[in-house]
Amino acid sequence: MHAAATEIALRTAETALLKAQQRGDRDAVAALLAADFEEIGSSGRHYDRASVLDAIGSAKIGSAQLEDFEIIDFRLRQLAKDLVLVHFRTRLRRGDSVLRSARSSLWRREDGLWRMAFHQGTPCAQGIA
């Protein structure tokens, strides 16, 4: 896959994942996560695929429902033919709060489809993201 096409596909996937979380769409999130998915949340806590899916639509991960988001400074680094590291920043709105994060995701192509294998979000100070 050409680098530009990979970037479009993975930006689309990251956006779809955030939209699915916003809607509380467990099936859509499940379709984007690899079976061995792991996440280190902004609190430093570790989550696996099952715990992320169980939290969809609840307050188990994050303090309030995601209302809106913006992805900025999106870039990727091809690590292997079917393995890409993505870096970007987000601005998430939850209630009256705007949360800024630096994020990294590891995407692996499985049977022609991109699946997220790992994700980490790090909170940023107000002026950074």
Side-chain angles (χ1 to χ4, degrees):
M1 186 179 267
H2 189 269
T6 300
E7 183 171 348
I8 290 167
L10 294 180
R11 186 180 183 108
T12 299
E14 289 281 3
T15 300
L17 189 56
L18 285 168
K19 284 183 178 180
Q21 291 171 334
Q22 185 179 27
R23 292 189 311 266
D25 188 340
R26 188 178 193 278
D27 292 338
V29 173
L32 292 166
L33 301 182
D36 60 346
F37 172 80
E38 295 183 50
E39 176 177 354
I40 299 174
S42 59
S43 66
R45 196 166 165 206
H46 178 265
Y47 301 95
D48 62 11
R49 185 177 193 272
S51 61
V52 168
L53 294 176
D54 287 346
I56 298 296
S58 75
K60 291 180 187 176
I61 298 177
S63 58
Q65 182 67 32
L66 173 62
E67 294 174 15
D68 196 16
F69 65 89
E70 178 183 13
I71 293 175
I72 54 176
D73 194 22
F74 191 89
R75 59 197 191 291
L76 57 89
R77 182 173 161 199
Q78 188 92 34
L79 301 176
K81 180 182 175 206
D82 293 323
L83 191 65
V84 176
L85 179 62
V86 174
H87 300 279
F88 60 100
R89 296 185 181 276
T90 57
R91 290 186 188 119
L92 307 175
R93 190 166 57 82
R94 288 186 168 136
D96 293 334
S97 299
V98 175
L99 308 169
R100 293 166 171 81
S101 302
R103 295 174 175 246
S104 297
S105 302
L106 189 58
W107 288 87
R108 183 174 58 223
R109 191 169 28 212
E110 302 171 347
D111 300 321
L113 300 173
W114 288 104
R115 305 267 192 249
M116 184 184 284
F118 178 82
H119 180 77
Q120 182 168 359
T122 304
C124 295
Q126 287 295 82
I128 294 179

